[in-house]
Amino acid sequence: DITVALDSGESVAMTLTPDMSYDALCAALEPRFATLDRRGADDEWALYVTAPGEPRGAEVIGCLADIDNLTPFETDAQLHDEGVEFQYVYRRRDEDDVAAGG
């Protein structure tokens, strides 16, 4: 199981399965947040791996939307194997992030 937070501080637990795609993970995740604000439907949202701490402003380690050679399950396992301290945060991608490809 993983825990995913919003910048608002709300968090939910999700179960990753080995065959779950990134898109399927996000589709299952979004309805579980009570405070998710999807106004501006054209905004792109993504699941980030960040340093531990408050979700808002946490240093970004990477973005799962940009990892196309591993499933979220494999990415999570690799982060744990490497001993990375991290958390998952689901948030809008800003223009600089999208332009940089991650």
Side-chain angles (χ1 to χ4, degrees):
D1 286 359
I2 63 170
T3 300
V4 180
L6 293 176
D7 283 337
S8 68
E10 179 186 4
S11 62
V12 297
M14 290 289 303
T15 298
L16 289 178
T17 59
D19 60 343
M20 181 181 279
S21 70
Y22 172 77
D23 290 339
L25 172 59
C26 291
L29 183 67
E30 285 193 6
R32 301 186 68 174
F33 285 115
T35 61
L36 181 64
D37 179 7
R38 287 298 304 247
R39 285 179 287 178
D42 293 339
D43 290 348
E44 186 176 349
W45 285 65
L47 186 57
Y48 289 88
V49 176
T50 71
E54 289 296 316
R56 183 182 306 273
E59 178 185 350
V60 173
I61 297 170
C63 180
L64 268 68
D66 299 327
I67 301 172
D68 55 7
N69 60 332
L70 297 173
T71 66
F73 183 88
E74 293 167 330
T75 301
D76 186 70
Q78 182 176 351
L79 289 166
H80 285 289
D81 288 348
E82 293 176 2
V84 176
E85 291 186 32
F86 68 96
Q87 66 183 354
Y88 291 107
V89 180
Y90 193 66
R91 62 169 58 127
R92 281 186 182 94
R93 293 184 85 160
D94 65 29
E95 290 179 20
D96 293 336
D97 182 47
V98 173

